[in-house]
Amino acid sequence: MTLEGQPDPKPRGRFELSDLAGLRTSPEARRWGAAALWIFATLLLIGAAAAIAYSMAMRLPLSHDEHQFVAGGWLLGEHGMLPYRDFPFHHLPNLLFFYAALGQLSPAPLWNARVLSVVFAVATFALIFQYSWRRERGPSGWLAGGVATCLLLFSPLFEYTSGRAWNHALPTLLSMAAFVAHTRTARQPYRFRGWIWSGMLLGLAVGARLTYLLATVPFLAFVLSNQPRGFRLRPMVVFVVGLAIGLFPSGVLFGLAPRQFEYGNLVYQVLNTRYRQALGITGAMDLPGKLAYLREDVLSEPAQSLLFGAFLFVVAAAALRSRRAPKPGGREFWLASGVAAFLGLSAFVPTPSWVQYFYAPVPFMALGLAIYLVEVGPGFPVGKLIAGLLVVGMVMLRMEAVRGIRLIFEPESWVPAQVHSLGAAVAERTGGGRLLTLAPIVAIEGGLEIYPELVGGSFDWRVARSFSSERRAVYGVMAPEDLATALEDRPPAGILIGFESKNEGFSPNEMGGLERPLEAIAEGLGYQPEAIPSPVVSTGLTLWVSPNRVSQ
C-alpha cells in the first residue's frame, strides 16, 4: 500500500484478464458485430456449396439427354430458329431462352449451360437459407438453413441431376421462388400482386418442365386452407392468372406450330414407350417396375435413403405434433411437404423412369426439414442434435464430393472442356462445314453446322420410322431412309459416330445399331474414316471425312 492507502500500481506493460471487466461495448456495436458474423458464416457456407456444386457439374459425363437442350438453345440464339416450328423439341421451351442468351458468354456452349445450372442450384440454396433466416433471425434459423443446404447439396440425386445441361435446375429454382412468394403473400392476403407473382413463377417452372404442373395442386390447396371462408375465390383466380402468364411463352409457340408442339410433348412420349417395348425392355415400364427402380436404383444409395427416411420421420412427427398443438406456421411445412409429395408422384408419370426424375421432390424435402427445425424454436435440443448428426452422416457418406473440389483447379479434366476439345479436333479435321452426328453438341463446340432434324440426337432418329415420309417432313424429323435425299442437298464435311455404341439400336440385341445407317452412307459416299481419341467416350469415336476435305 502507498502512503495514501491506495494499492500498489502494477508494473508498466503488464496485462491481466481482470482488466477486461472494465471494458464495455454499446448494444448497437454488439448487434453489428453479430450481424457481420452471421453474414460471414452464411457467405462461407454458400460459397463452399457453390464450389462443390461446380466441381460436381464439371465431372459429370456427357448425357445424350443434354443434346436437345444445348443444341436447341444454340439454334435459337445463333439462327433464330424456334423450337417445334423449326426443329423438334421434347419439352416445354423456357430453358432454351436462357441457353440462347448464353451464346456470348464463352465459345463453349456445354460449359455455358452447365455453369448456368450451377447458378440455378446456388440460387436455390440461397432461397432456402434466406427463407429459414427470415422465419427465425438467430441460431435456429441459421441452423435450419444450413442443415437444408447441406442435405440438398450432398444428396446423390442432386449431384447426378442438378449440374447437367437439362431442364431440372431451372424449374427447381422457379418453383422454390414461387413457394417463397406464395407463403409470404398468405400473411398479407389482400396484396393480390403476391398471388400473381407466385402463380407466374410456378407457371414459368411448368414452362420449363411439364411435370411441375402437379405442384399446382398443393399451391391451390394452401390458398383454400389459409384464407377466410369468404375470401378464397379471388386469390385462387389471381393465382391461376399468374400461372397462365408464366405459361404464355409456351402458348405462343403452340400457336405457331400446334402439330409439332403436340408431337414434341405428347406423341413422342408415346412412341418412345412403344420403341422400348418393341425392344423387349421391361424395367421401369409400369408402376411395379417403377417402384422397383426407385428401390434398386435410387434408394440403394445410403445417403439418399437417409434423407428420404429423415423426411418421412419428420412428417410423421409433425402430424402428431399438429394434432396436439397446431401452429399457424405449420401450414407452410405442409405446403412444402405437399409439393414434395406431388413432385414425387410426377416422377412416375413418364415411361420409363430414370434417376433424374426423382430429384424434383428433394429440394422441398430439405426445405420442409428446415421449416420444421425453425418451428420447434430455440428449444428441442435433441432434435437439433439429430439434425446435426444427419448432416454429418450425409457428409461422411459423400466424402468423395468434398474431395472432388480439387477438380476446380484442373480445368483440363472438366468434361465440358474435353467436349470442347473434341469439337475443335473434329472441326480441324473436317475444315469446317456441316457435321452429321447423333451428338450435335460436339459439332457446335467446334463451330460446325448441324442438321436441325437431329438436334435431339438419337431421340427422334429412333422413332421417326413410325411415320410416313410426309409426316416426318411435317414434324421436322429424319429417318435413315431420308439420309440420301437430305445429304444430297446438304452434304456434310464429316460424319461422326461412336456415341451410341452402348445404347439400344432399332431392333432387339442391336447395341450401337442407331449409328449403322450413318456408317453405311459414309462408306457409300466414299468418306475416309479416322479414329478420334477422346476421354469423352471410352469406346472410341470414328470420324468419316469427305473425300473433298481429305484431298485438300
Side-chain angles (χ1 to χ4, degrees):
M1 298 291 288
T2 64
L3 293 175
E4 290 80 9
Q6 298 297 322
D8 295 330
K10 293 185 296 183
R12 179 174 296 178
R14 184 177 177 184
F15 174 79
E16 295 181 357
L17 291 175
S18 59
D19 294 340
L20 294 175
L23 296 177
R24 294 290 186 270
T25 57
S26 67
E28 184 178 359
R30 287 198 297 272
R31 284 196 300 271
W32 278 104
L37 180 62
W38 288 120
I39 291 172
F40 175 76
T42 302
L43 291 176
L44 185 65
L45 176 65
I46 298 297
I52 293 174
Y54 181 81
S55 67
M56 289 176 174
M58 292 301 105
R59 67 172 175 266
L60 285 169
L62 179 65
S63 168
H64 66 181
D65 290 67
E66 295 179 277
H67 291 293
Q68 64 174 316
F69 297 103
V70 177
W74 181 81
L75 286 176
L76 176 60
E78 290 291 321
H79 297 288
M81 300 175 68
L82 293 178
Y84 317 117
R85 190 191 71 178
D86 300 320
F87 60 87
F89 187 63
H90 304 137
H91 291 274
L92 293 185
N94 286 356
L95 182 61
L96 295 189
F97 303 131
F98 286 89
Y99 285 177
L102 285 176
Q104 304 304 316
L105 182 61
S106 86
L110 180 61
W111 182 83
N112 294 344
R114 287 198 176 185
V115 167
L116 187 62
S117 293
V118 173
V119 171
F120 291 151
V122 174
T124 302
F125 295 150
L127 267 181
I128 294 175
F129 202 96
Q130 186 260 1
Y131 180 82
S132 305
W133 177 257
R134 285 180 66 90
R135 288 180 61 85
E136 179 64 43
R137 294 180 182 273
S140 293
W142 199 95
L143 174 66
V147 166
T149 298
C150 291
L151 292 179
L152 177 56
L153 175 65
F154 290 107
S155 163
L157 283 172
F158 173 87
E159 178 176 7
Y160 182 85
T161 306
S162 187
R164 281 194 164 104
W166 53 19
N167 60 340
H168 292 277
L170 175 60
T172 295
L173 172 62
L174 292 170
S175 59
M176 190 65 68
F179 177 94
V180 173
H182 207 68
T183 53
R184 186 177 299 175
T185 305
R187 305 185 197 113
Q188 301 169 321
Y190 295 95
R191 295 185 63 181
F192 291 108
R193 184 172 59 185
W195 298 118
I196 284 277
W197 272 107
S198 64
M200 184 176 67
L201 287 165
L202 188 58
L204 289 170
V206 176
R209 187 167 184 84
L210 183 59
T211 50
Y212 277 72
L213 185 62
L214 284 178
T216 59
V217 176
F219 272 82
L220 289 170
F222 183 82
V223 175
L224 286 173
S225 65
N226 203 63
Q227 302 305 312
R229 187 175 295 275
F231 190 72
R232 292 175 177 174
L233 181 60
R234 283 191 292 174
M236 289 182 64
V237 170
V238 174
F239 173 78
V240 172
V241 169
L243 191 71
I245 294 172
L247 286 169
F248 180 74
S250 300
V252 170
L253 291 174
F254 171 76
L256 292 173
R259 294 182 66 184
Q260 293 86 344
F261 185 98
E262 180 187 11
Y263 163 72
N265 288 282
L266 296 174
V267 175
Y268 170 79
Q269 322 305 328
V270 175
L271 293 178
N272 185 51
T273 300
R274 291 177 181 172
Y275 163 76
R276 302 185 73 81
Q277 289 171 339
L279 295 181
I281 298 173
T282 58
M285 295 289 288
D286 54 17
L287 183 58
K290 293 176 182 181
L291 291 172
Y293 183 86
L294 171 64
R295 182 183 67 251
E296 297 167 6
D297 291 80
V298 178
L299 297 181
S300 57
E301 286 276 1
Q304 202 59 64
S305 296
L306 189 61
L307 177 57
F308 275 57
F311 176 72
L312 294 175
F313 175 81
V314 167
V315 167
L320 293 173
R321 189 167 174 264
S322 63
R323 292 183 63 181
R324 292 197 301 266
K327 286 188 175 184
R331 290 173 178 171
E332 299 182 9
F333 170 81
W334 292 114
L335 174 59
S337 301
V339 174
F342 275 87
L343 290 179
L345 289 175
S346 75
F348 295 95
V349 174
T351 300
S353 289
W354 295 108
V355 170
Q356 61 268 24
Y357 298 165
F358 295 94
Y359 168 68
V362 172
F364 286 93
M365 290 181 179
L367 177 64
L369 292 171
I371 294 173
Y372 187 77
L373 282 175
V374 170
E375 282 298 312
V376 296
F380 198 45
V382 174
K384 291 180 171 56
L385 175 62
I386 294 174
L389 292 175
L390 177 62
V391 170
V392 171
M394 289 280 287
V395 173
M396 291 182 65
L397 289 169
R398 305 281 296 143
M399 277 304 295
E400 73 276 5
V402 178
R403 290 191 292 266
I405 201 171
R406 65 180 181 272
L407 188 71
I408 292 177
F409 307 103
E410 302 170 3
E412 70 282 355
S413 300
W414 299 352
V415 169
Q418 294 171 350
V419 174
H420 185 72
S421 297
L422 173 60
V426 171
E428 182 181 359
R429 285 171 168 81
T430 59
R434 192 181 301 271
L435 185 69
L436 177 63
T437 179
L438 299 183
I441 285 178
V442 176
I444 62 177
E445 290 283 349
L448 303 172
E449 292 295 324
I450 63 174
Y451 291 83
E453 300 93 332
L454 298 178
V455 68
S458 62
F459 291 163
D460 299 291
W461 177 252
R462 67 194 184 193
V463 302
R465 282 175 165 169
S466 303
F467 305 120
S468 64
S469 58
E470 293 79 11
R471 184 66 63 85
R472 290 198 294 269
V474 170
Y475 289 154
V477 299
M478 183 190 294
E481 292 80 4
D482 306 317
L483 274 178
T485 302
L487 300 192
E488 184 177 342
D489 297 332
R490 296 169 290 167
I495 301 174
L496 182 66
I497 64 173
F499 280 90
E500 296 292 327
S501 59
K502 292 185 177 180
N503 294 326
E504 298 85 0
F506 292 106
S507 57
N509 303 317
E510 190 194 15
M511 301 302 288
L514 294 180
E515 291 180 313
R516 287 177 189 161
L518 304 183
E519 184 176 13
I521 201 163
E523 291 177 341
L525 293 173
Y527 282 43
Q528 299 301 310
E530 296 182 20
I532 302 287
S534 173
V536 176
V537 179
S538 59
T539 53
L541 298 168
T542 302
L543 175 65
W544 294 78
V545 182
S546 167
N548 298 328
R549 306 288 178 172
V550 172
S551 61
Q552 294 174 4

